[in-house]
Amino acid sequence: MKGLLLHFLNVPPIASLIGHVSAVALSLGLIGEGRVAGLLRRLDGRASDRAMVALLAVAVDRQPQRQDWLDGLVAHGLRAGHPQRVWKAFQANESRMGFSPASRLRLLLRLQWHEETACLLEALAEFRDRLAAKFWRFMPSILEADMPEPDDLIELARQGEQRRLDIALGRVAFDFREFSLSGALLERGLGAGQGNAVDRLAMHYAQSRAGVAPETGPALESDLASARGYRADPQYALLACELAIHQGDAEGAAARLDEWLRSADLPVDDSDTVQTLSHGMLKQILACRMGDGPSVSLEASRPVCVHKVFVCGNGWSGSGAMHNALQEYDTVVEFPQAAPEALANKGSFSEVSLFQGAAGLGGLWRKLDKGTLPHWRDLWDLFRCHVLGGAWVGYPEYKCAVMARAMQSAFGLAHWYMFSETLPALCSAVASEDVEGARYALTCLAERACLEAVRHAGGEPDQSVLVLNNAVFARNVDILPLFHQARAVCVHRDPRDVWADRMLDDDRHWRTVQEFADFYAGNERRTRQRIAGLADQGRVPVRQVAFEGLVRDGRLREELCQWALTPVGGQRVREILDPARSQQNIGIHEARLDEQALQRLAPLVAGK
């Protein structure tokens, strides 16, 4: 009887059904991983392959935003001893809907952790051929100088150099902020005598980020000294400062901050004042970490506000045309821009990453909106990335640090004062679980930054309009209630032209046409939902416009600009937008896309 049952379960359609049912039950918490693992062990190879494919397919379909769900399923499959089935399932679902670079990276890192060399070789080759050119050199950190090339990783895997491969992939994981896997791989490699002093410091940092209490005191000092001897880099001190905060070592954290301030070559004249203000902010972060310290609050009056217009796109959507149209008016001022960077797409350093970038105010606002208080490390990251502009790990943090340096140069001491007058109150509110106090502190900081931008541009708060181009993407308009006196214009564009532009000019483009279609549809859905949410709140007026109509219709453009500049108004005094040239970007898909791509994107066009 048991044999007949197993034979029945191994019929491929039944195995697929089992996979679907198991995935749903697993996602709902009705059964545990152990039961699913036992079930898969009882199926033969082909049937188990189908079940695993079904499991992954349902994971993606049911929970597309739950990356932890998908990763957990992959980890479960590997722990259950099914590396080939996990890899085959990934490949099978790849052709149907694709996976993000992060998903692929996590898979190959887990394959290394389980020492599944055969699958790892295939995964590395696939990652190299499709994604490495777009991502490998776009993840700056303290380890970037030692980053292996994809071919080096493949060669180490072929030679069976497991511990050297642990170090190499641990570095990759660190740069991609996969801290749990990075810490584990680096520790295993270092334990076998591989790696260098900087790898050891990175291991401590990665493990701390993954929740493991780091080394401090003499052991950390020794590792820090060894790292300095291996390669001079001021960022080491700031990483060590975070480790000291994690352990509640106030003296060690202050010493490491001083070391960083001395060596970071900040664009300031009064270094003593910067040091004093920085230590005041560090003290409050430490107090928040330890759950003590004096209460700090802000005056409960409305902060000084300026009129703001957010020009919002979703990447290559034509928002630059709206931005250029507004720049033609005499009342418009803007934030200072960072200098062009080799790692960045054109124009990306006009985005004012303080608001929606890594560790920015928007992410903290969204947490509070969901009733979740920020963690002490969120406050440290805000301080590290946006006040100091240092110790970045990965491109998103790097971009924030570059923008922070631009603000330091433009605002001078005002940059440090605007944070020192608001960040302690934010830390105090978080420590005392005061959600409204934390909201108010965030708004005060956001408005103060905008005020400094207007002053730097030579404008007057009540006679100027601060225009922010893609400081908030259209899909992130739900964070706009962070600001007072704000309006937004969201620009959308024919998705076929967006795809055509990305293929040609986006240095960080990696998606297939189907992955782009899913990404675009998701962005449009979130944008509509969040604009509707703002309308329900009645706090932030938003207008939507098609790029095509914007550049073709002068009257529409003029009316939209006047609406955006309300109530200040303004006179058009210069010509920046070239409508005729912009119109040449309409319909570019006709010459660039093949029939298959046009068919894949047709549903988006029909639904726009």
Side-chain angles (χ1 to χ4, degrees):
M1 185 68 180
K2 184 177 180 181
L4 286 174
L5 178 60
L6 284 176
H7 178 77
F8 175 73
L9 293 177
N10 278 297
V11 175
I14 301 300
S16 294
L17 178 62
I18 290 170
H20 281 282
V21 173
S22 300
V24 173
L26 193 61
S27 70
L28 295 175
L30 301 178
I31 60 174
E33 289 183 356
R35 287 189 176 275
V36 176
L39 175 63
L40 291 175
R41 279 195 293 269
R42 285 175 170 80
L43 301 176
D44 67 24
R46 185 182 175 195
S48 187
D49 289 348
R50 283 177 171 262
M52 182 62 75
V53 168
L55 278 163
L56 282 176
V58 173
V60 174
D61 283 340
R62 286 178 58 84
Q63 302 280 0
Q65 305 305 317
R66 287 285 306 280
Q67 191 64 59
D68 57 335
W69 192 149
L70 180 62
D71 292 340
L73 187 55
V74 170
H76 146 72
L78 293 175
R79 284 197 300 272
H82 300 291
Q84 285 285 351
R85 290 164 186 171
V86 170
W87 178 237
K88 286 181 180 179
F90 238 72
Q91 290 176 311
N93 284 288
E94 173 82 34
S95 62
R96 188 172 64 88
M97 61 194 313
F99 292 99
S100 71
S103 295
R104 296 183 181 91
L105 178 67
R106 279 189 282 268
L107 173 60
L108 66 86
L109 291 171
R110 285 200 173 93
L111 289 171
Q112 169 59 16
W113 179 249
H114 290 273
E115 298 189 348
E116 299 293 347
T117 305
C119 295
L120 177 64
L121 277 167
E122 290 185 50
L124 282 170
E126 191 266 354
F127 198 88
R128 174 198 61 191
D129 295 341
R130 183 171 171 205
L131 295 170
K134 293 292 183 182
F135 281 90
W136 216 253
R137 290 302 177 189
F138 288 93
M139 302 303 288
S141 80
I142 61 167
L143 294 178
E144 63 182 297
D146 293 320
M147 272 282 281
E149 295 292 339
D151 286 337
D152 298 334
L153 297 173
I154 292 172
E155 187 59 28
L156 288 173
R158 284 175 178 159
Q159 293 176 0
E161 295 276 2
Q162 290 295 338
R163 300 296 76 86
R164 289 176 63 193
L165 194 55
D166 281 342
I167 294 295
L169 282 172
R171 293 168 179 166
V172 174
F174 186 88
D175 275 21
F176 280 82
R177 303 184 61 81
E178 295 295 333
F179 291 124
S180 179
L181 287 163
S182 175
L185 289 168
L186 288 173
E187 183 177 34
R188 192 165 71 178
L190 288 162
Q194 302 296 323
N196 58 49
V198 181
D199 291 320
R200 186 165 295 279
L201 182 60
M203 178 194 73
H204 292 319
Y205 185 82
Q207 290 177 338
S208 171
R209 284 276 166 165
V212 178
E215 288 187 15
T216 55
L220 179 60
E221 289 300 315
S222 175
D223 288 338
L224 186 56
S226 298
R228 291 193 206 98
Y230 178 75
R231 184 186 300 112
D233 189 334
Q235 308 309 329
Y236 301 157
L238 210 52
L239 295 181
C241 180
E242 180 179 335
L243 298 178
I245 296 171
H246 189 165
Q247 288 291 71
D249 179 5
E251 184 177 341
R256 298 289 74 78
L257 177 60
D258 275 338
E259 179 184 341
W260 185 85
L261 288 169
R262 286 194 302 270
S263 58
D265 192 26
L266 296 172
V268 293
D269 295 326
D270 190 348
S271 56
D272 290 340
T273 299
V274 168
Q275 183 181 38
T276 300
L277 297 177
S278 297
H279 276 278
M281 289 182 272
L282 175 64
K283 183 178 179 181
Q284 284 298 136
I285 294 170
L286 272 160
C288 185
R289 163 73 181 96
M290 303 308 295
D292 56 21
S295 176
V296 179
S297 60
L298 296 165
E299 292 184 13
S301 58
R302 182 184 175 97
V304 178
C305 302
V306 299
H307 297 284
K308 294 168 285 292
V309 178
F310 290 86
V311 181
C312 309
N314 271 325
W316 304 89
S317 59
S319 60
M322 187 68 216
H323 178 219
N324 290 158
L326 287 167
Q327 286 177 309
E328 298 177 343
Y329 287 80
D330 59 352
T331 52
V332 166
V333 295
E334 298 188 70
F335 260 86
Q337 292 191 21
E341 266 281 340
L343 292 182
N345 277 321
K346 181 181 178 182
S348 64
F349 281 117
S350 68
E351 294 173 3
V352 193
S353 48
L354 171 62
F355 299 141
Q356 73 171 2
L361 305 187
L364 298 177
W365 181 269
R366 193 172 276 156
K367 275 192 173 184
L368 292 168
D369 225 23
K370 294 177 180 177
T372 303
L373 283 164
H375 190 265
W376 70 265
R377 209 185 292 270
D378 296 324
L379 306 174
W380 162 256
D381 287 344
L382 175 63
F383 177 61
R384 174 175 58 85
C385 291
H386 298 282
V387 183
L388 302 178
W392 50 84
V393 181
Y395 174 76
E397 285 193 356
Y398 173 77
K399 187 164 71 170
C400 294
V402 171
M403 185 62 200
R405 292 301 180 97
M407 291 171 64
Q408 291 167 7
S409 297
F411 298 164
L413 284 178
H415 169 84
W416 304 89
Y417 276 115
M418 75 181 190
F419 282 102
S420 68
E421 292 169 4
T422 50
L423 185 55
L426 175 61
C427 293
S428 180
V430 170
S432 60
E433 300 184 359
D434 179 4
V435 172
E436 290 307 311
R439 282 177 185 270
Y440 182 68
L442 285 176
T443 292
C444 287
L445 177 51
E447 292 295 343
R448 178 66 182 275
C450 292
L451 178 62
E452 292 302 334
V454 171
R455 287 172 172 169
H456 173 260
E460 293 293 333
D462 59 345
Q463 299 174 26
S464 304
V465 180
L466 182 65
V467 172
L468 300 104
N469 182 40
N470 277 333
V472 175
F473 293 149
R475 59 182 177 270
N476 293 329
V477 292
D478 58 311
I479 70 172
L480 288 179
L482 166 65
F483 303 90
H484 294 307
Q485 296 179 193
R487 292 181 168 227
V489 179
C490 294
V491 183
H492 57 89
R493 181 184 178 197
D494 187 322
R496 297 169 298 185
D497 288 340
V498 175
W499 171 245
D501 248 352
R502 279 186 177 273
M503 284 198 305
L504 187 66
D505 295 322
D506 187 352
D507 291 336
R508 298 176 62 78
H509 155 73
W510 56 267
R511 291 180 174 87
T512 65
V513 63
Q514 186 58 53
E515 288 166 345
F516 166 77
D518 295 340
F519 172 74
Y520 184 94
N523 277 342
E524 290 298 300
R525 181 174 61 254
R526 282 188 290 275
T527 299
R528 288 193 299 270
Q529 291 171 346
R530 288 169 175 175
I531 289 176
L534 290 178
D536 291 341
Q537 295 175 29
R539 288 190 57 183
V540 183
V542 179
R543 290 276 298 271
Q544 298 184 73
V545 63
F547 165 76
E548 295 81 4
L550 180 68
V551 298
R552 282 172 170 160
D553 189 337
R555 288 185 179 180
L556 170 64
R557 196 162 57 245
E558 170 70 18
E559 184 271 327
L560 200 56
C561 286
Q562 291 298 338
W563 175 87
L565 297 174
T566 302
V568 174
Q571 296 294 317
R572 187 166 174 261
V573 294
R574 60 185 69 90
E575 291 186 4
I576 297 177
L577 176 67
D578 185 344
R581 184 175 180 181
S582 294
Q583 288 174 37
Q584 293 175 9
N585 291 314
I586 298 174
I588 59 174
H589 65 274
E590 295 175 1
R592 296 184 186 177
L593 303 189
D594 58 26
E595 188 61 33
Q596 183 180 19
L598 291 172
Q599 289 178 359
R600 291 285 183 94
L601 298 175
L604 298 180
V605 179
K608 69 176 181 176

